[in-house]
Amino acid sequence: MKKYMKWGAAALLALGLAGCSNSSSGEKDDQLNVKVSISVSEQDTWGQGVNKWAELAKEESDGKINIKLYANESLSNGNQPKGLEAVQNGSTEASIHSMIIYNVLDPKFAAPSLPWLIPNYEQADKVMNGEGGEKLKELIRSKGIEPLAFGENGYRQITNSKHAIETPEDLKKLKVRTPSMEAMVDTYKQFGADPTVMNWSEVFTSLQQGVIDGQENPLPIILNNKLSEVQEYLTIWNYMYDPLVFGINKELYDGLDKETQKILKETAEEAAQYQIQLNREKDKEILAGLKEQGMKVTELTPEQIAAFQEKSAPVIDQYEKVIGKEFLDAFRAE
C-alpha cells in the first residue's frame, strides 16, 4: 500500500543535505535523492539488494524517494574505509558495507566475524535478530550512521594459486589478501600465513601478477569477480560470518519526518531479507559453477575444521579482552 510523505521543516533541511535540486521556480522540490555506495559489482547480491530497496522505496513514497546505486566503491576510488567515512560525513547518503569494514571504526565490530564464533546460518539469524544485532546497532549509531537493516555477505571461503588447503599447516607462508580488520590479520598469522591488507579494487591484478597467492571472500564475490581465472584452489571452511549494514547518514536520517524514516527503514529491511535469501539460495549453484570453471574445490569435514578452530582459539581469547566478554557473549553459539 502506498504511503504519502509528510515533509516538515526538518525534512526540508535534510533534503538540502541530500543534495536535492531546485525547481525552475527556485523552490526546493520534495524529492529525497539517496546515493548508495557498495564495495562490489551491481551483479552481486548487494547490488540486487539496493535495486530492490530503490524499487520499494520509490513505490512506498509515491515516487518521492529516489535511491541510486554506485557499485565497486566508485565514489571513493575503490577505498572501502573511505567509502564508509563518506557516509559518516554525509558526502554519500547511504551504503551497504561489510561489518568487517566497520571494524576500522571500532574493534567491537569484529565480534560477529571472529573465526568460527558463529558456526551456521541458524545461529547467525538468532544473534543478528537478537541481542547481538541490537548491540551492533547502538555501536553503529554512535559512529554517525543509522543502521536501517542487516544484510549478509555470507560465509567467507579461501582461494589460492598454490595448493589445496586441508590443514592449518597448508596456510604456512601463503600470502593471503585480507581487508583491514586486525582480527582477520591475526587469524592468518596464527596459521603461519602472510596476511596482506589490500583494497579490493587491487586484488584481481595482484593475484594475476603473483603479488599475492590468495584471498578470502564469500562465493558470490569469488564468482562475480572471475577469480577462477587467477585462482586454482578453493576451500570451503565457513571460517567467518560476514554481516552487511544497510546504513544511512544519521544526521540526514534524524532530520527526516517520521513517515519518511519509517519508509526508508521498512523498505531497507524488506530489501535486506531479499538479499539474504538470494545469497543463501545461490551458494550451491555458484559452487557447481566454479567447479565447472576448473577450480579444484576442497570441502572440509567437521573434523578438519576442528583443527583450524583449535589453532585459531587464541584469537578469540585475545579479542575477548578487547571487545569485552559481555559484548562477545551476545554472539556465541549456545
Side-chain angles (χ1 to χ4, degrees):
M1 181 176 66
K2 293 188 176 181
K3 304 179 182 69
Y4 290 89
M5 313 290 281
K6 300 173 184 176
W7 304 96
L12 291 175
L13 173 62
L15 289 172
L17 290 172
C20 289
S21 59
N22 291 336
S23 67
S24 58
S25 65
E27 296 178 357
K28 292 183 184 296
D29 60 31
D30 61 354
Q31 299 295 301
L32 176 60
N33 299 315
V34 181
K35 299 189 298 289
V36 181
S37 175
I38 64 172
S39 303
V40 295
S41 73
E42 186 171 355
Q43 287 70 42
D44 267 302
T45 62
W46 304 29
Q48 293 176 68
V50 174
N51 287 334
K52 173 62 75 173
W53 186 19
E55 173 191 325
L56 293 169
K58 187 170 185 177
E59 179 183 353
E60 291 299 314
S61 68
D62 201 29
K64 293 184 174 71
I65 297 177
N66 296 297
I67 291 174
K68 185 174 181 180
L69 170 65
Y70 290 81
N72 297 312
E73 215 70 66
S74 59
L75 298 177
S76 60
N77 296 316
N79 188 309
Q80 293 164 294
K82 289 289 185 185
L84 186 58
E85 182 183 322
V87 181
Q88 285 183 289
N89 65 35
S91 57
T92 299
E93 287 79 43
S95 76
I96 297 181
H97 273 106
S98 163
M99 197 71 70
I100 287 169
I101 305 305
Y102 273 78
N103 185 71
V104 302
L105 306 179
D106 193 305
K108 288 185 177 181
F109 285 117
S113 300
L114 290 175
W116 290 284
L117 190 70
I118 298 178
N120 53 56
Y121 284 129
E122 182 181 3
Q123 177 68 9
D125 290 340
K126 181 178 179 180
V127 300
M128 295 306 295
N129 294 314
E131 183 185 359
E134 290 305 311
K135 286 182 178 295
L136 290 172
K137 286 178 182 178
E138 290 174 12
L139 191 57
I140 293 166
R141 290 189 186 104
S142 74
K143 307 303 178 183
I145 296 174
E146 178 65 29
L148 299 174
F150 290 126
E152 179 178 274
N153 204 14
Y155 279 98
R156 301 177 76 94
Q157 318 299 354
I158 187 168
T159 69
N160 82 99
S161 58
K162 297 296 185 181
H163 53 249
I165 295 172
E166 299 178 347
T167 69
E169 288 71 30
D170 294 327
L171 278 161
K172 286 184 177 178
K173 297 184 179 180
L174 273 185
K175 188 171 284 189
V176 181
R177 177 267 175 183
T178 72
S180 55
M181 186 173 94
E182 291 183 10
M184 188 181 291
V185 171
D186 289 340
T187 297
Y188 281 94
K189 285 182 178 178
Q190 192 68 25
F191 293 140
D194 181 8
T196 303
V197 174
M198 181 182 292
N199 285 334
W200 177 243
S201 58
E202 304 169 20
V203 171
F204 187 92
T205 301
S206 297
L207 290 168
Q208 194 173 42
Q209 296 175 349
V211 175
I212 51 177
D213 302 316
Q215 63 81 54
E216 52 73 62
N217 257 303
L219 292 177
I221 292 177
I222 293 170
L223 175 71
N224 292 331
N225 289 274
K226 301 180 179 179
L227 296 188
S228 62
E229 295 179 6
V230 290
Q231 298 277 265
E232 185 174 358
Y233 301 94
L234 165 64
T235 294
I236 305 299
W237 61 345
N238 290 0
Y239 89 113
M240 185 173 286
Y241 181 69
D242 188 2
L244 301 176
V245 180
F246 283 61
I248 189 168
N249 176 268
K250 193 172 189 304
E251 185 178 357
L252 168 61
Y253 182 80
D254 288 348
L256 296 170
D257 64 276
K258 297 298 183 184
E259 182 66 12
T260 308
Q261 290 179 347
K262 182 180 179 184
I263 290 171
L264 283 168
K265 182 174 175 56
E266 289 183 351
T267 55
E269 288 174 343
E270 185 173 343
Q273 287 306 307
Y274 170 79
Q275 184 271 327
I276 288 171
Q277 183 178 354
L278 274 181
N279 205 64
R280 295 183 186 181
E281 287 175 350
K282 287 189 172 184
D283 267 4
K284 288 184 180 180
E285 175 187 334
I286 288 171
L287 187 59
L290 290 170
K291 289 178 180 178
E292 288 178 5
Q293 291 174 15
M295 293 196 85
K296 297 175 182 176
V297 177
T298 301
E299 298 186 56
L300 298 187
T301 66
E303 291 75 21
Q304 287 174 310
I305 289 173
F308 286 92
Q309 285 180 290
E310 182 179 355
K311 188 75 174 178
S312 62
V315 176
I316 294 180
D317 293 339
Q318 174 187 343
Y319 278 86
E320 181 176 279
K321 297 172 186 175
V322 175
I323 293 168
K325 186 177 186 303
E326 182 183 353
F327 195 97
L328 196 58
D329 280 349
F331 300 91
R332 293 184 195 272
E334 295 180 355

